[in-house]
Amino acid sequence: MAFTLTGDDAIQELQPSPIPEPYWVAFSSSVAKALKIPLNNDGYPQDQTWLNVLAGNSLETQSQKFSNPISTVYSGHQFGVWAGQLGDGRAILLGDIADQELQLKGAGKTRYSRMGDGRAVLRSSIREFLCSEAMHALGIPSSRALSIVGSKLPVLRETLETAAVCARIAPSFIRVGHFEHFASIQNIVRLKELADLLIEQHYPECRNIKDLYIDLFQKICARNAKLVAQWQAIGFCHGVLNSDNISALGLTIDYGPFGFLDQFQMDHICNHSDQGGRYAYHRQPQIMHWNMACLASAFIPLLELDHSEEEAQKLLTDALGEFPAIYGQAWQTLFRQKLGLSTVQDDDIQLIERLLQVMHDSRVDFTTLFRDLANVNTSKPISAIKLRNDFLDRDAIDQWLADYIDRLKAESSLDADRRQKMNAVNPKYILRNHLAQAAIEMAQRQDFSEIAKLLTILERPFDEQEQYQEYAAPPPPDLESIEVSCSS
Ligand code: AMP
Ligand code: MG
């Protein structure tokens, strides 16, 4: 529910800046249904005033008035360096609807826009819209996207593009950066209000605990540790894991230059601007831990309300120290599920890591490989297993498959049963960059059909969907390395 802090520079009350001649680019009827917005047969709102509201041109639908839109202040660390005050530079919170915050991204300048124009371009809005819905369908906690509204309003990036407004929802958009902001200006009153608000609205289980702030900290850390394990297991790279892009609810937020892995490369960097690879795939867990350390620093004054400085530091350091184990446990559970293992054995980690290493060495497609692994027939010879042909080093994969089959036999795994369970966790369809890119290029020619089609496919990522087989395929060689950067 909405951020309620007022006073100081905590929020700015403001109206979105209108865009000329708004039109629908994309709309998620499934999000709309969750928000109880009545829809017509085409899956768009019956009440057409929603278009103007989601464009940022009006604050009133026939049934709802958003009377108090705001932007909030946050600070943060970008690429490992304290960057001071950052946002909300282009997001305006309209208000609450069905227990969700409804936020318009790209709705114009705010007090916190710094040098920015407050806008988002069509291309990045399409990527955020599709990816948030894809992640939700994959069972990964995420903000969700209701709509994209387009306009001819020109926006200058590397080239001249057009503006779009993406409406997104989450139970709360509170970030690590919000805590860092109030800690950095030593406004302990606001810091405490923020923590209390989070507990009251989103972590009610902390309410009756004596040491509630350390409990809150532990719970935020645990959620984010489990979140990053889910990213690793699905092959998702966030791209910009700055502390201002980390949710206090453990949600995936702020989709920018993200990427799903195609060919598996442990040190894959999806963000073209990330030259040092700080946010590479294999570093994400460690970086999330680092972001939790930023949160720990911001929590010190809260802990000092009830503890000495030394005690506060120790409590936070100990809690932070639990992150790797929580992450590791979640990672192992997820990868066991991916391999269809139903028991826990000592050398499972080794088995999983060996597979990842041979996949890395052969640059095998991450999603296809795990999906194909479900078809392993434990009673046939290894030479008959098709997926071995995807590996350059046949000996290595053959040896791994032999050990895997032994491991399955040791727990009397049944092929059909295991296949069903594995297909429920290893998706067939992910938002590959080349698919998003094709939808973007069509949208730039005013054809939005591919966005709607991708949404339909990605809403059921684990289903076979016979008519859409080509959407499961890895990119053709000329589309393997589409570059995505921070400019959006
Ligand atoms: P990001 O890298 O997208 O997470 O953005 C970092 C910060 O810059 C956030 O506070 C954004 O609100 C802000 N920002 C990004 N793009 C713009 C823009 N075009 N206009 C104003 N603020 C922006
Ligand atoms: Mg951001």
Side-chain angles (χ1 to χ4, degrees):
M1 257 174 279
F3 206 88
T4 51
L5 308 188
T6 52
D8 310 332
D9 65 348
I11 63 165
Q12 180 190 13
E13 293 181 17
L14 80 173
Q15 309 246 334
S17 305
I19 49 174
E21 298 167 44
Y23 52 84
W24 293 121
V25 170
F27 193 81
S28 163
S29 52
S30 117
V31 173
K33 280 179 197 150
L35 299 179
K36 305 200 168 50
I37 299 174
L39 303 178
N40 62 24
N41 289 340
D42 297 333
Y44 283 84
Q46 281 171 15
D47 169 3
Q48 294 183 9
T49 60
W50 270 107
L51 175 63
N52 278 329
V53 170
L54 298 177
N57 292 5
S58 150
L59 293 173
E60 237 172 302
T61 69
Q62 285 167 10
S63 58
Q64 186 145 8
K65 188 168 179 185
F66 296 102
S67 48
N68 189 28
I70 58 166
S71 283
T72 68
V73 70
Y74 57 78
S75 297
H77 286 82
Q78 297 190 311
F79 288 88
V81 177
W82 175 247
Q85 186 175 309
L86 295 168
D88 289 321
R90 54 174 169 169
I92 298 180
L93 192 60
L94 286 188
D96 289 351
I97 169 167
D99 286 338
Q100 300 283 315
E101 290 183 355
L102 176 61
Q103 196 182 63
L104 299 185
K105 181 168 175 179
K109 279 188 192 165
T110 77
R111 187 198 282 164
Y112 317 109
S113 296
R114 299 173 291 148
M115 306 295 282
D117 56 9
R119 292 297 178 190
V121 294
L122 180 64
R123 127 185 90 80
S124 67
S125 305
I126 293 171
R127 285 170 52 82
E128 170 140 16
F129 175 89
L130 287 174
C131 197
S132 18
E133 288 309 283
M135 293 290 265
H136 173 77
L138 288 164
I140 301 179
S142 174
S143 60
R144 296 192 64 187
L146 171 63
S147 60
I148 305 174
V149 176
S151 166
K152 62 182 181 189
L153 182 75
V155 175
L156 185 63
R157 295 293 180 263
E158 277 92 0
T159 58
L160 203 56
E161 302 188 47
T162 56
V165 177
C166 181
R168 54 185 193 176
I169 61 161
S172 165
F173 284 96
I174 295 178
R175 302 144 189 268
V176 168
H178 282 111
F179 284 92
E180 288 183 283
H181 178 75
F182 295 116
S184 74
I185 58 167
Q186 298 179 335
N187 190 336
I188 315 306
V189 174
R190 291 274 173 262
L191 190 65
K192 184 174 177 316
E193 278 176 13
L194 185 63
D196 291 342
L197 180 121
L198 203 58
I199 292 171
E200 189 53 34
Q201 296 182 353
H202 306 288
Y203 289 87
E205 64 277 23
C206 300
R207 264 184 221 156
N208 300 320
I209 292 180
K210 195 169 146 276
D211 232 339
L212 77 179
Y213 298 127
I214 193 69
D215 198 57
L216 175 64
F217 177 74
Q218 279 167 328
K219 290 196 161 71
I220 298 175
C221 277
R223 285 201 197 178
N224 279 303
K226 289 176 192 160
L227 177 69
V228 75
Q230 285 186 283
W231 292 349
Q232 300 307 97
I234 221 78
F236 174 78
C237 301
H238 182 284
V240 200
L241 285 180
N242 292 338
S243 62
D244 58 301
N245 289 338
I246 307 297
S247 154
L249 299 194
L251 307 172
T252 315
I253 54 167
D254 282 19
Y255 293 90
F258 65 83
F260 285 88
L261 295 172
D262 292 313
Q263 293 182 349
F264 183 58
Q265 193 180 336
M266 288 182 207
D267 51 354
H268 174 70
I269 304 167
C270 65
N271 175 359
H272 185 59
S273 317
D274 180 13
Q275 280 154 3
R278 178 178 169 85
Y279 300 140
Y281 169 79
H282 68 316
R283 292 219 176 107
Q284 295 191 117
Q286 176 190 335
I287 292 292
M288 185 61 93
H289 191 193
W290 191 91
N291 283 317
M292 293 301 101
C294 294
L295 184 66
S297 299
F299 262 60
I300 292 174
L302 291 174
L303 273 281
E304 285 179 356
L305 295 173
D306 294 316
H307 299 278
S308 68
E309 189 184 337
E310 205 177 315
E311 272 171 7
Q313 301 256 6
K314 179 161 179 2
L315 282 166
L316 285 163
T317 309
D318 290 350
L320 190 60
E322 289 166 19
F323 183 99
I326 298 171
Y327 164 76
Q329 201 57 51
W331 183 90
Q332 281 180 43
T333 303
L334 291 167
F335 272 89
R336 273 199 190 90
Q337 288 169 356
K338 288 180 82 68
L339 293 186
L341 305 177
S342 55
T343 59
V344 177
Q345 301 294 334
D346 285 345
D347 39 14
D348 287 348
I349 301 180
Q350 225 192 335
L351 189 73
I352 298 164
E353 284 181 343
R354 270 177 54 212
L355 174 63
L356 293 175
Q357 186 63 54
V358 276
M359 285 169 64
H360 170 91
D361 293 341
S362 287
R363 301 289 192 270
V364 171
D365 186 81
F366 187 86
T367 304
T368 316
L369 189 273
F370 281 103
R371 190 76 181 183
D372 288 349
L373 215 50
N375 297 326
V376 163
N377 184 330
T378 48
S379 48
K380 281 209 174 141
I382 285 166
S383 56
I385 299 177
K386 271 204 266 164
L387 65 86
R388 67 188 285 279
N389 299 325
D390 297 337
F391 290 79
L392 298 171
D393 186 347
R394 294 283 155 78
D395 290 343
I397 190 61
D398 286 356
Q399 185 55 56
W400 185 85
L401 283 166
D403 294 343
Y404 176 52
I405 289 171
D406 284 349
R407 172 71 178 79
L408 293 175
K409 285 182 175 163
E411 62 179 37
S412 308
S413 184
L414 299 172
D415 286 355
D417 172 57
R418 187 181 66 255
R419 183 178 317 126
Q420 201 190 6
K421 286 186 179 139
M422 288 172 73
N423 283 345
V425 293
N426 294 316
K428 172 131 184 169
Y429 301 97
I430 50 160
L431 181 61
R432 296 181 187 270
N433 263 341
H434 74 286
L435 299 178
Q437 190 55 31
I440 289 168
E441 284 167 22
M442 284 173 67
Q444 284 166 338
R445 299 191 298 269
Q446 300 296 300
D447 178 350
F448 309 122
S449 60
E450 192 66 9
I451 304 175
K453 194 193 235 182
L454 277 180
L455 179 62
T456 307
I457 298 169
L458 295 168
E459 281 178 336
R460 293 166 49 213
F462 303 106
D463 294 354
E464 275 299 321
Q465 306 191 53
E466 288 307 330
Q467 72 276 38
Y468 295 128
Q469 292 297 310
E470 72 270 24
Y471 285 83
D478 56 325
L479 296 179
E480 264 166 13
S481 48
I482 294 170
E483 286 182 350
V484 193
S485 73
C486 278
S487 164
S488 61

